[in-house]
Amino acid sequence: AKPRMEVRPAAQGRAAAGRVVLLVVLLPVCCRAAAERIRYAIPEELGRGSLVGPLARDLGLSPAELPARKLRIVSGDEKQYFTLGEDSKNLRVNERIDREGICGAVSPCVLSLEAVVENPFNIFHVSVTIQDINDNAPQFDREFVAIEMIESTSPGARFPLGSGRDPDIGTNSLQNYQLTPNPLFSLVMRESPDGTKHAELVLEKSLDREKKRNHHLILTAVDGGDPVRSGTAQIKINVTDANDNPPVFTKEIYKVRLLENLPEGSLAFQVKATDRDEGINAEITYSFSDITNSARQLFTLDSRTGDVKVTGPLDYEEGKYYEASVEGKDGGGLSAHAKVHIDILDVNDNPPTLSLLPILNPISEDSVPSTVVAVINVRDRDSGDNGEVTCNIDRDLPFRLEPSSENTYKLIIASALDREKVSAYNITITARDRGSPSLSSRAALVLEVSDVNDNAPVFEEAAYSAYVAENNAAGAPVLRVRARDADAGANGRVSYWLAGGSAGAAGAAPYVSVEARSGAVYAQRSFDYEQCREFAVAVRAQDGGAPARSSTATVRVFVLDRNDNAPRVLWPAAGAGASAGAGAAPAPFEVVPRSAAAGYLVAKVVAVDADAGRNAWLSYELVQAAEPALFRVGLHSGEVRTARAVSERDAAKQRLVAVVKDHGQPALSATATLHVVLAESLQEALPELSERAAGADSPAELQFYLVLALALLSALFLLSVALAVLARVRRAGPPAVLRCLGAQRFSVAGAAFPADFCEGTLPYSYNLCVAPGRAVAEAAWLPPPPPLPSLAAEELVGAEPCGKRSPSSSAGAGEPPAD
């Protein structure tokens, strides 16, 4: 609590100043703590810049605190009468203060304002009492006053002389009236209930018109100021002939109550007087004998009827009470007087006024609730319920109003802010009074929300997929990733880089790179489908905030196969062709009995393709044969069969050349050479084989082959005998396994693959059993698996990641691989 500080005029001397100092020292000791309102008192008419009071000191603010606390003042008045000095410590006069113009007759005249400080935020209420000085002299409404008195007027009769007007108050206002000495007249002063002093002229002795018809007096109004000021009015008294019955008003005092919104031209009230005389002495005319200039501008009196009408706008805020004297005069010169008291009633014709003082703008989106954003000052010139005002915020916003004092509200944050949802708030504050009908006014405040880095970048997709054909060029674009950050400025500026993944082993060059600004992903090397079918990398997006925020997305790159691998023949062996040079292994041959019927299985061409999908689908075609009509090859199986029955005219030795093609674009191919001997038995085929070997092999090799042939012939003879015995023993049919016991040439359970073979197209394994002199039935071959359904491109590229080998293979069947 602060002691009341009063600044008194310097003219009161050192004694008054000493008393003030003593009061300031003793008041905190002798009295209880004052209210939190800080009070000052200054005389009116001080010049601009005059000191009102040490505001900063009275608020308890030291000079060191002032820059941080940001002391400001807020006034609800239209004019800024006070301001802070350049040092922001003392409260000073900003413009001329005329107490009479501001407060009129209201006493005390107090101007209120609020002092606002920050860090921490607080509001202090300051009241400045404007003290009156004697700067106005009393004045009369009329400089000349004419009074007519009938000579028969009895002594003691009183005649109102009107009242002087002095805008000052207290001792500086009108205190007394003086009249020039005259034995016939004296002066009496009366005071009305509102404190106005009126002068009345009293007739002391009977008049004698024949002696003196006119009397001249001077009425002086004196105030109590120092120095004394005064004003005068001249009174002229005309003595008329006798009229024994004066008019009489129906009321001595007319009390009227008028609404301030009464339209101009309306009848306000009526005065009425009667006269017992007759003729001209009974004709009464009405007039205002004493009325202020302000009331004269608002009311007119009909001299014949006594009707008083409104001629100007009534305003309760400008004038609440008017007083006038009405004179009724008959034709003989007699008059009567009545008082009129007019009370103006307030109606709700003034909307509230708002003044805003922003404290924080813009406001950070991480501001905590209850933070003060602005101070709102509300005024309403009406009175009673018409002047009681409530404030609210129109829409549902994260702000609320909190009353601070009688006319002050604080706008504070009610809930958390999010700049990404709302970057600015248009706040409309409505002040509404309690009148009927209620009036309101609005004030708009735009609050900007500043950004903080509270959002991490968000990728448009959590996982990206890209498809790149193998053998691509290094530096080719793969795809573009994009992340968006809801923040603004540097907090929303996103950069990209690789964060990890299966795109390369440690120490090896990465498969891809990412451009930091655009998020474009580029291939760093040429991809090989046969080595790597897919890989994944993690791309990190990071904003430019402090601290930075980031997020990660996975990019899966699928390598698409191209037809860059030709088929590879596994059987017959590629090095055993007819064009093999000296020292090469002998070409493989097949023995086909001459009794073989059409469809006899001669051999099976086995081939693989390292590619996948359609690039690994193989088809077989017989391109060269001594007897083209004798043999055929399965388009998709690679099985070489007889197209017709073997005849005696067919040459014993047949050389077949088959081509294996894939389905790529363009197609790649390989050839396989197969030698077929037509003979009923191995013994019959040996000469043909020997002739073939003699033309190509050395004598030592020929001798080796002859010995081998004799051994094989003996073994086959013994085997034939054993088979004949077994056939007789089991006429029901030998077991399937015994069908392969005659001169078994192949005993391998399946096709052999090179050690470096990664993928092929062999769909199944097979056994080949050939016995001389006996046709091999179709049932001796393992049936191929059922055809596989066609696969979509998405299934074809859905292979294992890099580093895993697929078991799929490509064989003579030519169906799509199971992968």
Side-chain angles (χ1 to χ4, degrees):
K2 302 293 181 181
R4 178 171 177 176
M5 302 294 296
E6 294 187 357
V7 180
R8 301 183 179 278
Q12 296 184 3
R14 296 182 179 178
R19 289 195 298 269
V20 172
V21 173
L22 182 61
L23 179 62
V24 171
V25 174
L26 296 180
L27 187 59
V29 179
C30 302
C31 302
R32 295 183 179 180
E36 292 189 2
R37 184 180 294 273
I38 299 175
R39 305 177 188 274
Y40 298 102
I42 61 171
E44 63 176 330
E45 303 295 341
L46 285 180
R48 183 173 183 177
S50 299
L51 177 65
V52 177
L55 181 60
R57 187 190 70 187
D58 294 339
L59 293 178
L61 302 178
S62 65
E65 291 179 297
L66 283 178
R69 298 300 297 274
K70 298 180 180 179
L71 176 61
R72 287 174 287 176
I73 62 171
V74 181
S75 175
D77 297 315
E78 296 179 358
K79 294 185 177 181
Q80 300 293 329
Y81 292 106
F82 305 99
T83 184
L84 284 175
E86 295 180 356
D87 53 1
S88 298
K89 295 189 298 183
N90 298 319
L91 186 65
R92 296 184 179 276
V93 175
N94 189 42
E95 65 179 72
R96 174 179 174 269
I97 300 176
D98 183 14
R99 192 206 64 81
E100 289 75 19
I102 297 174
C103 299
V106 177
S107 180
C109 181
V110 180
L111 297 180
S112 298
L113 53 100
E114 282 75 33
V116 180
V117 294
E118 299 179 19
N119 304 317
F121 180 84
N122 202 349
I123 298 177
F124 299 90
H125 307 287
V126 181
S127 297
V128 180
T129 300
I130 308 303
Q131 297 175 339
D132 182 61
I133 63 174
N134 192 23
D135 58 341
N136 292 282
Q139 291 182 350
F140 289 94
D141 298 333
R142 293 178 295 175
E143 187 176 356
F144 297 92
V145 179
I147 301 176
E148 290 189 2
M149 295 183 184
I150 194 169
E151 61 179 347
S152 60
T153 302
S154 302
R158 297 189 177 191
F159 300 88
L161 299 179
S163 59
R165 307 294 176 182
D166 193 337
D168 296 326
I169 60 172
T171 58
N172 294 328
S173 64
L174 191 149
Q175 299 295 320
N176 198 6
Y177 293 95
Q178 298 175 0
L179 187 68
T180 53
N182 190 297
L184 297 176
F185 304 96
S186 64
L187 187 65
V188 176
M189 185 177 66
R190 294 180 58 186
E191 186 171 352
S192 60
D194 63 343
T196 305
K197 296 177 174 60
H198 305 275
E200 293 184 350
L201 185 66
V202 180
L203 182 61
E204 295 292 338
K205 297 179 180 180
S206 299
L207 297 174
D208 188 355
R209 175 179 168 278
E210 287 69 23
K211 290 183 179 180
K212 191 172 184 179
R213 301 180 58 180
N214 299 308
H215 300 273
H216 295 275
L217 304 174
I218 296 178
L219 178 64
T220 303
V222 181
D223 62 22
D226 185 14
V228 176
R229 291 177 178 267
S230 62
T232 61
Q234 296 185 11
I235 302 173
K236 180 180 181 181
I237 302 173
N238 295 321
V239 181
T240 62
D241 199 11
N243 182 14
D244 56 346
N245 289 296
V248 177
F249 278 96
T250 56
K251 295 181 181 179
E252 184 179 358
I253 298 176
Y254 290 88
K255 295 183 178 180
V256 182
R257 303 179 71 185
L258 302 177
L259 293 175
E260 66 172 330
N261 61 350
L262 197 64
E264 297 183 19
S266 301
L267 177 64
F269 58 94
Q270 183 185 41
V271 295
K272 187 69 174 178
T274 60
D275 196 326
R276 298 174 58 187
D277 294 331
E278 294 181 354
I280 193 172
N281 291 328
E283 294 179 4
I284 302 174
T285 57
Y286 304 92
S287 63
F288 286 120
S289 61
D290 185 16
I291 187 171
T292 62
N293 290 330
S294 57
R296 191 181 300 276
Q297 296 174 1
L298 299 176
F299 304 98
T300 59
L301 176 62
D302 191 317
S303 61
R304 304 300 300 172
T305 62
D307 294 340
V308 178
K309 295 184 178 181
V310 178
T311 57
L314 302 180
D315 192 348
Y316 173 83
E317 288 70 35
E318 296 294 334
K320 304 176 179 60
Y321 172 81
Y322 297 95
E323 182 178 319
S325 296
V326 179
E327 180 184 53
K329 183 181 294 186
D330 62 16
L334 294 180
S335 63
H337 297 84
K339 289 287 187 179
V340 178
H341 295 172
I342 303 174
D343 291 314
I344 306 301
L345 304 181
D346 181 56
V347 296
N348 194 26
D349 60 342
N350 290 285
T353 59
L354 292 170
S355 60
L356 298 176
L357 175 63
I359 303 299
L360 294 176
N361 195 3
I363 52 178
S364 178
E365 65 174 326
D366 59 352
S367 298
V368 298
S370 76
T371 301
V372 178
V373 176
V375 176
I376 299 96
N377 190 276
V378 184
R379 301 288 188 207
D380 195 324
R381 298 178 62 193
D382 294 321
S383 62
D385 290 344
N386 297 332
E388 293 186 9
V389 181
T390 57
C391 286
N392 59 72
I393 300 176
D394 286 0
R395 293 186 299 158
D396 186 14
L397 298 174
F399 301 92
R400 73 171 187 270
L401 289 174
E402 186 176 283
S404 174
S405 64
E406 181 180 1
N407 298 315
T408 307
Y409 291 82
K410 293 184 293 186
L411 179 64
I412 64 176
I413 299 175
S415 59
L417 305 178
D418 190 352
R419 189 207 65 83
E420 286 69 39
K421 293 181 179 179
V422 182
S423 60
Y425 291 91
N426 292 321
I427 302 176
T428 302
I429 301 171
T430 301
R432 188 178 302 276
D433 60 28
R434 297 181 58 186
S436 180
S438 178
L439 298 179
S440 64
S441 61
R442 296 184 177 185
L445 177 63
V446 178
L447 290 178
E448 301 286 342
V449 181
S450 60
D451 183 63
V452 297
N453 192 24
D454 57 347
N455 289 279
V458 178
F459 281 93
E460 294 178 347
E461 301 179 28
Y464 293 83
S465 297
Y467 300 91
V468 182
E470 66 174 330
N471 304 325
N472 59 290
V478 176
L479 82 163
R480 171 176 288 186
V481 297
R482 188 181 297 276
R484 301 186 182 279
D485 196 312
D487 294 321
N491 296 332
R493 191 179 302 117
V494 181
S495 57
Y496 307 87
W497 70 84
L498 295 178
S502 61
Y511 282 8
V512 295
S513 64
V514 62
E515 189 175 356
R517 287 302 177 192
S518 65
V521 180
Y522 298 96
Q524 291 292 93
R525 60 173 69 178
S526 179
F527 301 146
D528 188 355
Y529 176 83
E530 287 70 42
Q531 292 183 0
C532 182
R533 295 190 176 186
E534 67 173 280
F535 60 87
V537 294
V539 178
R540 182 181 300 277
Q542 179 173 303
D543 59 29
R549 293 178 178 268
S550 63
S551 61
T552 304
T554 302
V555 177
R556 298 185 65 85
V557 179
F558 297 92
V559 181
L560 303 181
D561 183 53
R562 284 184 175 176
N563 193 25
D564 58 348
N565 291 281
R568 182 177 181 183
V569 178
L570 300 180
W571 178 260
S579 61
F589 65 92
E590 302 290 341
V591 179
V592 176
R594 286 187 175 275
S595 60
Y600 180 86
L601 179 61
V602 177
K604 184 179 180 69
V605 178
V606 180
V608 294
D609 195 316
D611 294 320
R614 294 183 59 88
N615 296 330
W617 295 2
L618 302 182
S619 60
Y620 302 83
E621 183 182 352
L622 198 60
V623 297
Q624 183 180 350
E627 295 291 341
L630 180 58
F631 299 99
R632 61 180 172 83
V633 63
L635 179 63
H636 298 297
S637 63
E639 296 175 349
V640 180
R641 295 179 182 270
T642 57
R644 59 175 173 79
V646 180
S647 67
E648 294 296 333
R649 295 189 301 271
D650 295 327
K653 293 186 293 183
Q654 301 285 335
R655 180 174 179 270
L656 308 179
V657 178
V659 64
V660 184
K661 294 183 179 180
D662 57 28
H663 285 68
Q665 292 295 332
L668 301 179
S669 63
T671 60
T673 303
L674 184 65
H675 295 274
V676 179
V677 177
L678 302 179
E680 288 295 334
S681 64
L682 185 60
Q683 293 87 346
E684 185 181 346
L686 286 178
E688 300 294 336
L689 298 176
S690 299
E691 292 178 7
R692 175 171 171 264
D697 298 336
S698 63
E701 290 175 346
L702 181 59
Q703 184 179 2
F704 171 78
Y705 289 136
L706 289 175
V707 174
L708 179 61
L710 290 175
L712 289 176
L713 183 61
S714 300
L716 289 174
F717 176 77
L718 293 176
L719 183 60
S720 299
V721 172
L723 288 175
V725 174
L726 288 175
R728 290 179 179 275
V729 174
R730 297 187 62 189
R731 290 187 178 278
V737 69
L738 295 179
R739 296 177 185 175
C740 297
L741 294 180
Q744 182 176 0
R745 183 171 180 187
F746 298 96
S747 61
V748 182
F753 298 93
D756 60 347
F757 180 69
C758 178
E759 300 189 73
T761 57
L762 284 176
Y764 56 88
S765 62
Y766 61 90
N767 291 328
L768 177 63
C769 304
V770 179
R774 182 176 179 182
V776 180
E778 285 282 347
W781 294 88
L782 293 178
L788 295 177
S790 298
L791 299 179
E794 290 80 359
E795 300 179 21
L796 295 178
V797 297
E800 274 69 5
C802 297
K804 297 183 181 179
R805 309 301 288 178
S806 174
S808 61
S809 61
S810 176
E815 289 83 4
D819 226 352

